[in-house]
Amino acid sequence: MSNVKAPRSLRFDAAIGSADDTSYSATKVSAVASLIAVASFSGAEAQQQSSLPPVNVDAPVARPRHVASKPTSDQVRARNALRRAARRSNQQAQQAPVPFPNAGGLPADRDRYADPAAPYKGDRLQASGKYPEPILNTPKSVTVLTKDVLEDKNATSLKSAILSTAGVTLGTGEGGNAFGDRFFIRGFDARNDIFIDGVRDAGVSVRENFFTEQVEILRGPGSSFAGRGTTGGAINIVTKQATTENSFYNMDTSFGTDRTKRVTLDVNQVISPTLAIRAGGLFQDAGVAGRDNTTDDRSGAFVAAKWTPIDAVKITGDYVHTDLHGIPDFGVPYYRPGSPAPGNIFTSTAGGPFPQFGSPANNFYGLVNRDFFKVQQDIGTVSTEVHVTPDLVLTDKFRASRAMNNYIGTIAESPVIATPLSASTITMNPQSRYQITDVVANQSEATYKFDTGGFKHTAVGGVEISRETSYIDKYTGLSSELTTGTPFNGAGSISGVNVFAPQYTYTPFTSTPTLSGLPTNLAIDTASVYLLDSVNYNDLVILNGGIRYDDYSIKTSGYGTVAGATVFGAQNAEFGMPNFNLGLTLKPAPNGSVYAAYATSSNPVGAEFDGTSTAYGGLSPVLNGNSNQIFGPEKNQAIEVGTKWELFDRHLLVTAALFQTNKENARESQNITPTTGTATCPYPITSPQITSSVSCITAGAAYWVRGIDLGVGGKITDKWSVFGGLVLMQSQVTKSNAPSPQPLLYPTNVGLPLANIAHQSFSMLTKYQLTDMWELGGQAVYRSKIYGGTLLAANQGTSLPSYWRFDAFAEAKVDKHWTVKLFVNNIFDKRYYDALYQSATPFVLEAPGRAAYLVVSARY
């Protein structure tokens, strides 16, 4: 009998594969399959040798031979099955493994958390330990902007991706906090609730998307999952990671009517079956559609590596550098007709952004030769994953990052209304910041799977330790840089600037602004421990619960001016914050779920890391012995009930939820003007040097936000994809200790809705595949009116109008390597506004006008 080798079998090792990098193992051969193969081949050979046809030879005696017999039908089926198995085994041994069974041929640069047959539909969250169930079974409203969604939105920054998503509103930078990515989710400030691969990205920055795989918006309180804050929700950026599946080489080149020239590279190289390296780069030179002088230039690079020395160990590392720079746009002024009553108290809510009353919409109110912004991020991460047993996984993630937010910008505010209106003037008020934020964090986690009867548990225990520090300074000399003869108001601002034709835009400068050298320093140390458990009973009932304790400590020190003298002060605070969550999911069908969930969260003082005062969520140093009272954390509770269904062959996820979030012990701010050197707050601030108004911080306010959250993502047919949502909210202040700043309009804050958020919002992205070559798509976005107010209530009588915006795109697949895409954003050139400052006469941020982009993509 000849030696016949059994074909290698490719085995899926569920014990070793992980949710974020499911892997196949081709190193082991099934003993049973091997024995069957050897026996079958050997038996067939022996039968052939024993049944050869008779042969005539020249011999004196011919021996009779058995007549050859045909193989039976069972033998034929067995032989063909073995041949097919051998072919499949050889093909799979040469082909890269995929995380979805029976989904071969997927590109290696795909989104690993999305449905491969419907890439608009997110299936899982990156944090597979904390959220082990599919999104369908997770008792929480989740919006996942997958790789394909980001590409079809042409979203090159986190801001552009988030603002075209229902339920999220943009906020402005203000005197006490930085300009940058400031988002409100479900009505709550989330500017320091942004995470990169599950680690908090502290400090307000401006974030690019060239290194982003997908963006996850987790709505509702989540302190038991993510730590402090996360009252309205959290945003998690999932970065591109190296893969050993296959090498690829991607390039995208964009040209836009807003002067955009953009190139991104993304290369993955498989070095060996256990090692891969991925790298990418970015270059952008751009303006902003509909805005004069504003520029938006960017560059960056990332590198990631993956090493699996053995099947049970995976080590990954990545580093990201971004550099965004240009001339910033701090918006346009706001017009309020009529003369205000004494104390800047208005009696009418009429008015709006000046472009609605005839001023050129593209007017730039900054100073080209002075204003600038430069935002940089450097983020390095090393992660280790060890499968101790098939049921026990240990992970560790270490992160070190540095972010710089550096700018001088000009705010157009305090309008002086004239007749005719075209003679009205504003004051150009400089705003500046130099902020360096460093973060060192380590997360260690153990995931253990076990059964108790028919209940399958996924328990997660973790420890997180982090240190966040920030150095915040500002520029001086802003009042002495203009040429002689330019009017000033004595505070570095320029008054008498014409609203319709600002006359100082191109004024040259004779000096360079310098940093004051009197910074504010903040440091936050956090040590956290948590335990989560997800219990699945036969895919019929799923229980979800968790507890977390955060030991939070903040220290601040800095300089200020009292009676013309520079003084130094410091202040500390420390809190212990327990939080928990509970969820119950029922599965009436395999493709559907109904759930109810309850969760808590805490907002300690100073948690808004960019804030330089308690009024803005930060913590200011105590100067000259004056107390800036520290209050306990704000407490939040939320309940949510909802349902999720996968329709159309489970390629379309439809979600609906009702929610309410209550906040207690909310902080407020009010300005008190002393008459005898003592400012009467809920606590005394006494100093003979105090002669101007002081900001008093109070606690004990309360409010709620409730609403309905609808979402959809995936494919309706093989050719029609959709992604969108509708969020309808109500809000109300139920307790307030601060007086209304406009008592003639609103006698009290109680009963008013929250300020600076859109209570109704809608978005829908859709595309249709016309032919194998052509796809057409578009996007509609709606935002309701936004009311202005001071920190909490909509109490200023100001507002931004509602708007609809429409985009469109067409895609041509030239061949398997080249794609050409044409985008037209804001088709009807709608002039709309994203956010307004909390003032009776605010500045407002104007959104870009119409722009077209041609994107040429190469995939090899």
Side-chain angles (χ1 to χ4, degrees):
M1 181 179 69
S2 62
N3 293 326
V4 179
K5 294 183 179 179
R8 298 178 65 191
S9 67
L10 189 65
R11 182 179 66 87
F12 175 68
D13 193 342
I16 294 178
S18 62
D20 65 334
D21 188 19
T22 308
S23 61
Y24 286 80
S25 173
T27 60
K28 298 182 180 180
V29 178
S30 169
V32 175
S34 299
L35 290 174
I36 292 174
V38 171
S40 300
F41 276 104
S42 301
E45 185 180 63
Q47 185 179 24
Q48 274 192 328
Q49 291 177 347
S50 64
S51 59
L52 293 174
V55 179
N56 295 323
V57 296
D58 295 333
V61 178
R63 296 181 180 178
R65 299 280 186 177
H66 293 290
V67 178
S69 60
K70 294 183 179 180
T72 65
S73 58
D74 290 339
Q75 289 174 327
V76 172
R77 283 194 294 270
R79 180 187 62 195
N80 292 338
L82 286 169
R83 288 175 177 173
R84 287 194 298 269
R87 284 196 299 268
R88 284 196 301 268
S89 179
N90 291 333
Q91 291 171 357
Q92 289 174 337
Q94 298 173 3
Q95 183 181 356
V98 296
F100 301 95
N102 304 319
L106 295 177
D109 63 336
R110 69 190 174 279
D111 186 339
R112 299 163 196 283
Y113 310 101
D115 185 337
Y120 274 16
K121 171 176 170 278
D123 276 341
R124 288 185 175 273
L125 295 172
Q126 182 195 47
S128 58
K130 295 178 180 178
Y131 301 96
E133 294 288 337
I135 293 175
L136 174 69
N137 299 341
T138 300
K140 192 179 191 68
S141 290
V142 178
T143 302
V144 177
L145 284 72
T146 66
K147 174 176 174 289
D148 281 54
V149 168
L150 293 174
E151 289 179 352
D152 288 343
K153 285 177 177 282
N154 196 28
T156 62
S157 67
L158 180 64
K159 175 182 172 181
S160 61
I162 292 295
L163 289 189
S164 57
T165 303
V168 183
T169 309
L170 182 71
T172 69
E174 294 157 2
N177 58 271
F179 285 84
D181 290 341
R182 187 186 185 194
F183 305 114
F184 289 82
I185 304 175
R186 286 187 175 176
F188 297 91
D189 197 338
R191 69 182 188 266
N192 273 292
D193 295 326
I194 298 175
F195 296 75
I196 298 179
D197 291 332
V199 180
R200 188 183 299 272
D201 187 33
V204 172
S205 189
V206 180
R207 298 165 179 89
E208 240 288 334
N209 270 356
F210 80 100
F211 60 91
T212 301
E213 182 129 305
Q214 75 175 22
V215 175
E216 303 167 345
I217 306 174
L218 296 88
R219 304 177 190 268
S223 282
S224 56
F225 294 99
R228 71 174 190 259
T230 61
T231 305
I235 298 170
N236 184 42
I237 300 169
V238 181
T239 64
K240 295 177 179 178
Q241 296 294 312
T243 174
T244 54
E245 292 181 5
N246 206 352
S247 298
F248 58 80
Y249 314 93
N250 299 340
M251 181 176 72
D252 297 291
T253 305
S254 304
F255 301 94
T257 56
D258 58 359
R259 307 189 306 278
T260 291
K261 297 177 285 292
R262 177 183 173 93
V263 178
T264 61
L265 298 174
D266 183 6
V267 176
N268 186 82
Q269 184 65 50
V270 177
I271 307 299
S272 73
T274 62
L275 177 63
I277 296 177
R278 186 171 183 175
L282 161 73
F283 168 80
Q284 175 176 301
D285 181 9
V288 177
R291 303 295 296 146
D292 288 347
N293 300 307
T294 303
T295 59
D296 183 12
D297 302 332
R298 311 175 193 175
S299 62
F302 78 89
V303 61
K306 174 186 175 183
W307 182 41
T308 53
I310 58 175
D311 286 344
V313 177
K314 181 177 71 172
I315 300 172
T316 62
D318 60 83
Y319 170 76
V320 177
H321 171 77
T322 61
D323 186 342
L324 287 68
H325 52 278
I327 298 177
D329 180 13
F330 282 6
V332 299
Y334 190 95
Y335 166 63
R336 291 191 82 165
S339 299
N344 197 35
I345 298 175
F346 286 83
T347 59
S348 171
T349 60
F354 254 99
Q356 292 189 188
F357 296 88
S359 70
N362 60 338
N363 269 2
F364 177 71
Y365 294 95
L367 300 168
V368 170
N369 294 306
R370 182 193 67 185
D371 294 359
F372 73 93
F373 77 92
K374 190 174 183 63
V375 179
Q376 292 182 343
Q377 281 192 297
D378 291 274
I379 306 165
T381 310
V382 177
S383 301
T384 304
E385 182 179 293
V386 179
H387 295 257
V388 180
T389 70
D391 298 319
L392 177 60
V393 180
L394 303 180
T395 60
D396 186 82
K397 182 177 292 183
F398 175 79
R399 164 76 53 79
S401 67
R402 166 166 286 202
M404 179 182 74
N405 194 1
N406 183 18
Y407 61 79
I408 297 176
T410 307
I411 294 174
E413 55 186 352
S414 303
V416 177
I417 308 303
T419 303
L421 189 61
S422 58
S424 300
T425 62
I426 50 94
T427 297
M428 296 169 63
N429 182 23
Q431 294 289 316
S432 70
R433 175 166 294 226
Y434 178 79
Q435 178 170 341
I436 301 293
T437 301
D438 292 306
V439 177
V440 177
N442 193 88
Q443 299 179 354
S444 299
E445 202 168 83
T447 303
Y448 183 53
K449 297 182 179 181
F450 61 97
D451 295 346
T452 55
F455 296 89
K456 296 182 179 180
H457 296 254
T458 301
V460 179
V463 176
E464 296 184 12
I465 299 174
S466 66
R467 181 172 178 81
E468 307 159 59
T469 60
S470 197
Y471 174 100
I472 303 175
D473 203 353
K474 61 183 179 181
Y475 287 89
T476 61
L478 300 182
S479 62
S480 61
E481 294 159 7
L482 295 174
T483 55
T484 302
T486 301
F488 299 102
N489 66 3
S493 301
I494 310 169
S495 59
V497 179
N498 187 272
V499 173
F500 285 69
Q503 64 268 39
Y504 300 115
T505 302
Y506 304 101
T507 302
F509 289 82
T510 58
S511 62
T512 302
T514 57
L515 293 172
S516 72
L518 301 173
T520 296
N521 287 282
L522 297 102
I524 296 177
D525 292 293
T526 307
S528 309
V529 60
Y530 55 89
L531 179 64
L532 311 169
D533 192 12
S534 180
V535 186
N536 187 320
Y537 178 72
N538 293 331
D539 282 332
L540 297 175
V541 179
I542 302 171
L543 298 174
N544 179 279
I547 56 174
R548 181 185 180 113
Y549 183 84
D550 293 284
D551 182 74
Y552 170 91
S553 174
I554 182 171
K555 299 178 181 180
T556 180
S557 63
Y559 300 85
T561 301
V562 176
T566 299
V567 297
F568 176 83
Q571 191 166 200
N572 305 330
E574 185 171 0
F575 305 103
M577 298 178 297
N579 286 285
F580 71 96
N581 72 285
L582 293 171
L584 171 64
T585 303
L586 304 178
K587 298 277 292 177
N591 65 320
S593 67
V594 180
Y595 68 89
Y598 181 86
T600 68
S601 66
S602 304
N603 295 92
V605 65
E608 303 301 347
F609 207 54
D610 62 299
T612 53
S613 72
T614 312
Y616 291 93
L619 183 63
S620 57
V622 175
L623 303 176
N624 202 32
N626 295 323
S627 173
N628 190 359
Q629 186 167 339
I630 296 174
F631 299 96
E634 298 175 336
K635 297 293 186 178
N636 315 291
Q637 308 89 32
I639 188 169
E640 180 175 316
V641 294
T643 183
K644 302 179 183 181
W645 291 87
E646 290 180 331
L647 308 176
F648 302 105
D649 294 327
R650 305 192 68 168
H651 293 322
L652 182 76
L653 178 63
V654 179
T655 66
L658 298 172
F659 65 88
Q660 176 162 328
T661 302
N662 300 312
K663 179 179 282 289
E664 299 175 350
N665 201 41
R667 292 181 291 272
E668 296 179 289
S669 175
Q670 55 182 300
N671 289 328
I672 303 296
T673 302
T675 56
T676 61
T678 300
T680 304
C681 289
Y683 51 92
I685 297 180
T686 304
S687 174
Q689 290 88 6
I690 296 179
T691 57
S692 60
S693 66
V694 295
S695 178
C696 295
I697 308 301
T698 63
Y703 54 92
W704 52 255
V705 179
R706 66 167 66 116
I708 182 171
D709 194 326
L710 307 177
V712 61
K715 277 189 173 181
I716 297 177
T717 69
D718 288 341
K719 299 181 182 295
W720 185 12
S721 299
V722 293
F723 176 85
L726 172 67
V727 177
L728 306 175
M729 299 190 302
Q730 295 178 329
S731 65
Q732 187 177 102
V733 176
T734 55
K735 293 181 182 179
S736 177
N737 298 314
S740 170
Q742 301 290 330
L744 298 182
L745 290 173
Y746 309 105
T748 177
N749 292 324
V750 175
L752 294 179
L754 297 183
N756 304 317
I757 61 172
H759 283 75
Q760 294 85 41
S761 57
F762 167 82
S763 67
M764 181 61 67
L765 173 71
T766 182
K767 71 174 178 180
Y768 190 84
Q769 183 180 345
L770 298 175
T771 67
D772 289 341
M773 179 178 179
W774 287 97
E775 289 183 347
L776 292 179
Q779 179 176 233
V781 177
Y782 170 78
R783 291 289 185 277
S784 65
K785 181 180 289 188
I786 297 176
Y787 294 95
T790 303
L791 296 175
L792 182 62
N795 53 20
Q796 289 285 7
T798 55
S799 65
L800 295 179
S802 62
Y803 69 87
W804 280 93
R805 192 197 83 203
F806 298 94
D807 308 328
F809 67 89
E811 178 178 341
K813 293 181 172 61
V814 179
D815 57 29
K816 66 178 181 179
H817 298 301
W818 291 89
T819 301
V820 178
K821 221 166 186 178
L822 177 64
F823 293 91
V824 180
N825 291 350
N826 195 359
I827 297 173
F828 302 107
D829 200 21
K830 174 70 176 179
R831 292 296 174 178
Y832 64 96
Y833 308 89
D834 285 326
L836 74 168
Y837 178 67
Q838 51 187 34
S839 167
T841 54
F843 67 90
V844 300
L845 300 183
E846 185 173 341
R850 178 172 53 224
Y853 304 91
L854 182 68
V855 182
V856 180
S857 301
R859 300 287 183 267
Y860 285 92

